Amino acid sequence: MDEKDIFILRKLYENEYVSGEELASSLNISRMAINKRIKSLKALGYKIESLKKKGYELSDKDIIRVWEIKDYIQSSNLFKEFIYLDEVDSTNTYVKQNQQHLESATVVYTERQTQGRGRLSRRWVDLEKGIKMSILLKLLLLDLEKIVPLTLFTGLVINRVLRKHGVQSFIKWSNDIYLNGKKVCGILSELSGEVEGLGSVIIGIGINVNAESVPENIKDIATTLKAETSKNFDRTRLIIDILNEFERELPNFDKYGFSYFRDEYKSFCLNLGKEILINGERMLCRDIGENGELVCEKDGEIIKISSGEVTIRF
Ligand code: BTN
């Protein structure tokens, strides 16, 4: 999708219908060329109808308004570029492979992931009308102590934004977002570069938003915002709000670290006070530490955990 396609989508989004002639003359291309573009947009999944004597109509307006996100990025003091891909294997992989040419604070978004990756080498199931994006942050002093909390911080930001949109979400340590006992959002942070040196961190965010349901094989553990609330969410607004909140709070994270957000994190953390299984071991979750680590108790002994697979026993 190029700038001309984005222009066409914008016109269609903002009007009930638009004539091919009008599009052709605004873009200074032929009616035939417009026809061709409409065809390829339809092939990408955009629901565009042809109305006799009127022109084209966008019948499903749940699209990403790339132009609005680009406007936001332009006004942002942190984010530099927004790359919209119709389809890609994985936005994290794309960023990793292209990071030399990408500026720090680039956001890569896609509507379709064919090889979406989750934590612990799992797959991230691709649902329609979701949010799948990666944020590249370069030139970080790769201080491992700070990277784990950065992922927790991102989870907290997303939880805050979802709540602002009326979703009663919670956080499962370390950074899964849950709604009604099922996962709606996951974050995969990946590091590259030298530890204690210059490098980059790629924060991959997947949110199940407007899909009606999830596939049968994950329906006991995952859900979508739509399935739980029967409401449609404005994905463009969610993306901008998440990026904006991330940008607004990053200086606080930089200055004070995770501890600045710890109370809020704790107030939404599902693990606290629960018996949890960590890599097969049963423990009681007592606290979230200054750096976001899980503070657990097992046989009277306090154990701090900063990574691993956690299962909560409700
Ligand atoms: C998890 O909970 O296991 C993490 C899931 C992360 C999924 C997102 S979707 C965008 C980005 N690209 C990927 O391949 N994965 C992340």
Side-chain angles (χ1 to χ4, degrees), residues 59-70:
S59 56
D60 179 356
K61 298 216 166 175
D62 186 356
I63 65 167
I64 300 299
R65 300 187 298 282
V66 179
W67 58 93
E68 276 183 35
I69 302 178
K70 289 199 172 198

Side-chain angles (χ1 to χ4, degrees), residues 193-205:
E194 297 150 37
V195 173
E196 306 286 343
L198 290 186
S200 60
V201 55
I202 301 163
I203 308 172
I205 300 168

